[in-house]
């Protein structure tokens, strides 16, 4: 069953805050070692409504921000934090607890360049196509059924299907370069497509600079990306179909549909009958009588052609004389056999009497 999905905009908020830690009371003197500037990076997100506003849809169940992604990797400036602590990674696993955002905290008093890699969790799974096939079909990333449908559309548009052997595809120069064959069977398409699927699809890459300034500061930037979410209509349909009253209503509507279809078919037949009669009454009546005669013969199991046999010309044909001769010859032979049989019995009886 095809999943019901709809495209929505997910707005990603990237918030960074910097502040100075103070380990003593405000009146005490602080040295540089006791004052340490720290920055904090938060990554959160909210779905936008149809008007592009951040509002919760009361009809849809709330989804956590992390549920849209398969993995998140934040790469910090290697020169500032070294090769061992410049990566922050999160990967989905069966035991993952969903969260509304991600947070990273590090010490530092200078602006920090970071790269945020977000890998979307496509449901159903999406594939990145080989660049050659992607350019040919006009697809970069899509599900397997969408890719196969696009390839089939390309085959039909360019008339690459063999007219005699319908299960064979004649590859043009582009498909020959991609699949390395001149012909291929329809059943071979899934196997030939597998090497052209590149996993995973390209991640979403966001370049961000964590601004660190004296005192407590806060800055927010946002990015909009497209994501797929379950259609709210799906939940409404499920609740409707599970209702007993709805089931009765569906059965009633189905019955009305059947009756309407039968009525349409009957009216269509009647209309075609009237149009044919109006366009050629004489020819229509002849055809109709021939059809009725044929049906009557089938129903009554009648052999021959009764209509033709009613005419005098039928008995003036050349074959009739031969048929009559054969008939009388057969009757004469039958009568002769009967006479011979009767005479033979009598002769046998008379011979027995003379012997006695």
């Amino acid at each position: 069953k095809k999943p019901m999905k709809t495209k929505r905009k997910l707005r990603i908020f990237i918030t960074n805050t910097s502040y100075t830690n103070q380990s003593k009371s405000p009146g005490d003197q602080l040295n540089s070692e006791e004052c340490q500037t720290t920055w904090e990076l938060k990554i959160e997100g909210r779905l936008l409504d149809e008007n592009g506003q951040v509002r919760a849809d009361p009809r849809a169940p709330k989804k956590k921000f992390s549920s849209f992604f398969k993995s998140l990797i934040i790469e910090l400036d290697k020169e500032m934090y070294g090769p061992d602590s410049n990566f922050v990674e999160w990967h989905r696993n069966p035991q993952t607890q969903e969260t509304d955002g991600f947070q990273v905290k590090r010490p530092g008093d200078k602006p920090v360049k970071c790269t945020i890699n977000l890998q979307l969790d496509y449901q159903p799974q999406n594939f990145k196509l080989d660049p050659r096939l992607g350019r040919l079909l006009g697809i970069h990333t899509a599900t397997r059924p969408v890719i196969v449908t696009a390839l089939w559309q390309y085959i039909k548009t360019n008339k690459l299907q063999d007219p005699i052997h319908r299960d064979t595809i004649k590859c043009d120069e582009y498909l020959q370069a991609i699949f390395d064959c001149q012909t291929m069977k329809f059943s071979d398409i899934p196997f030939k497509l597998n090497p052209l699927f590149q996993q995973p699809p390209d991640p979403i890459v966001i370049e961000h600079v964590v601004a660190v300034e004296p005192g407590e500061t806060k800055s927010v930037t946002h990015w909009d990306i497209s994501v797929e979410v379950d259609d709210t209509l799906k939940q409404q349909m499920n609740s409707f179909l599970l209702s007993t009253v709805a089931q009765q209503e569906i059965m009633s509507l189905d019955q009305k549909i059947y009756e309407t279809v039968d009525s349409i078919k009957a009216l269509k037949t009647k209309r075609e009958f009237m149009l044919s009669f109006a366009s050629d009454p004489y020819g229509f009546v002849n055809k109709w009588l021939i059809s009725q005669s044929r049906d009557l013969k089938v129903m009554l199991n009648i052999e021959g052609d009764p209509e033709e046999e009613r005419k005098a010309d039928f008995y003036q044909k050349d074959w009739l004389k031969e048929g009559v001769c054969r008939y009388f010859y057969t009757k004469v032979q039958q009568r002769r056999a009967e006479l011979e049989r009767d005479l033979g019995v009598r002769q046998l009886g008379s011979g027995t009497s003379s012997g006695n």
Side-chain angles (χ1 to χ4, degrees):
K1 184 178 179 181
K2 185 177 181 180
M4 298 178 64
K5 298 285 185 178
T6 183
K7 288 281 188 181
R8 294 281 295 275
K9 288 291 184 181
L10 176 67
R11 178 159 293 176
I12 300 176
F13 296 94
I14 301 177
T15 306
N16 64 268
T17 306
S18 62
Y19 53 89
T20 303
N21 294 326
Q22 295 184 359
S23 57
K24 294 187 178 182
S25 59
D28 296 337
Q29 295 292 328
L30 298 173
N31 55 40
S32 58
E33 296 180 355
E34 294 171 335
C35 294
Q36 186 179 32
T37 301
T38 304
W39 58 263
E40 185 179 275
L41 180 70
K42 288 184 179 179
I43 304 174
E44 302 168 303
R46 295 290 184 274
L47 282 173
L48 303 183
D49 62 10
E50 298 175 354
N51 299 320
Q53 302 295 323
V54 183
R55 298 174 184 171
D57 189 350
R59 299 172 299 172
K62 184 179 178 182
K63 292 190 66 175
K64 298 285 188 179
F65 176 67
S66 62
S67 64
F68 293 101
F69 303 99
K70 185 179 293 184
S71 65
L72 178 142
I73 300 175
I74 301 174
E75 183 180 357
L76 303 176
D77 193 336
K78 184 177 179 180
E79 295 181 356
M80 297 181 64
Y81 294 97
D84 298 330
S85 58
N86 67 322
F87 278 97
V88 179
E89 300 185 29
W90 172 87
H91 298 279
R92 175 178 300 282
N93 58 59
Q95 290 77 34
T96 296
Q97 295 292 329
E98 305 296 353
T99 178
D100 277 327
F102 301 93
Q103 180 177 340
V104 178
K105 184 184 292 185
R106 290 287 189 277
D109 56 0
K110 296 179 181 180
V112 181
K113 294 181 180 180
C114 64
T115 303
I116 303 171
N117 292 274
L118 297 166
Q119 184 69 57
L120 288 172
D121 186 20
Y122 294 102
Q123 297 294 336
Q125 189 176 7
N126 280 24
F127 300 91
K128 178 185 174 184
L129 267 182
D130 180 275
R132 299 172 299 168
L133 185 60
R135 286 192 298 268
L136 187 66
L137 303 181
I139 296 176
H140 181 269
T141 302
T143 61
R144 184 186 294 270
V146 170
I147 295 171
V148 173
T149 302
L151 179 58
W152 168 234
Q153 189 62 41
Y154 177 84
I155 293 170
K156 287 200 302 181
T157 302
N158 293 276
K159 299 179 180 179
L160 302 179
Q161 189 176 12
D162 192 296
I164 300 175
H165 305 286
R166 307 293 292 178
D167 61 337
T168 303
I169 301 167
K170 296 180 178 179
C171 299
D172 58 9
E173 56 180 330
Y174 303 108
L175 292 182
Q176 288 182 24
I178 295 171
F179 295 110
D180 193 23
C181 62
Q182 294 184 350
T183 62
M184 61 181 177
K185 300 287 187 180
F186 270 106
S187 57
D188 296 336
I189 289 180
F191 303 102
K192 290 186 176 293
L193 281 176
N194 284 335
L196 302 176
F197 291 150
Q198 300 178 0
Q199 301 184 35
D202 292 337
I204 298 170
V205 180
I206 300 176
E207 300 289 347
H208 182 72
V209 177
V210 179
V212 180
E213 299 178 1
E216 185 170 343
T217 59
K218 182 177 181 180
S219 63
V220 180
T221 58
H222 69 267
W223 304 75
D224 291 346
I225 63 173
S226 294
V227 294
E228 290 184 343
V229 297
D230 292 333
D231 195 344
T232 54
L233 182 62
K234 181 179 179 180
Q235 186 178 6
Q236 297 176 12
M237 288 178 60
N238 289 337
S239 59
F240 176 78
L241 294 174
L242 292 174
S243 171
T244 306
V245 178
Q247 289 289 341
Q248 296 176 353
E249 184 179 354
I250 291 173
M251 292 176 63
S252 174
L253 292 174
D254 282 344
Q255 184 62 33
K256 290 181 179 179
I257 290 172
Y258 296 147
E259 293 174 357
T260 304
V261 170
D262 290 340
S263 176
I264 291 173
K265 289 181 177 179
L267 292 173
K268 179 176 179 292
T269 304
K270 185 177 180 180
R271 178 178 180 274
E272 292 175 351
F273 182 91
M274 294 300 181
L275 287 175
S276 299
F277 179 74
S279 61
D280 183 13
Y282 177 77
F284 175 80
V285 171
N286 281 337
K287 291 180 181 178
W288 184 70
L289 289 175
I290 292 172
S291 174
Q292 293 295 311
S293 175
R294 188 186 308 116
D295 294 342
L296 184 62
K297 287 172 61 178
V298 173
M299 293 171 60
L300 300 179
N301 195 22
I302 298 175
E303 296 181 357
D305 191 348
E307 270 312 304
E308 193 71 19
E309 294 172 2
R310 289 176 60 245
K311 300 177 182 179
D313 294 340
F314 178 79
Y315 299 97
Q316 302 298 326
K317 296 180 180 180
D318 296 337
W319 59 266
L320 185 62
K321 294 181 180 180
E322 182 180 354
V324 171
C325 293
R326 286 179 176 272
Y327 174 78
F328 280 113
Y329 178 78
T330 303
K331 287 296 183 181
V332 168
Q333 293 298 323
Q334 289 178 354
R335 184 59 179 165
R336 180 179 179 180
E338 293 175 358
L339 290 173
E340 289 179 351
R341 186 174 59 251
D342 292 343
L343 291 173
V345 171
R346 290 177 184 176
Q347 289 175 359
L348 181 62
S350 60
T352 307
S353 302
S354 347
N356 292 332

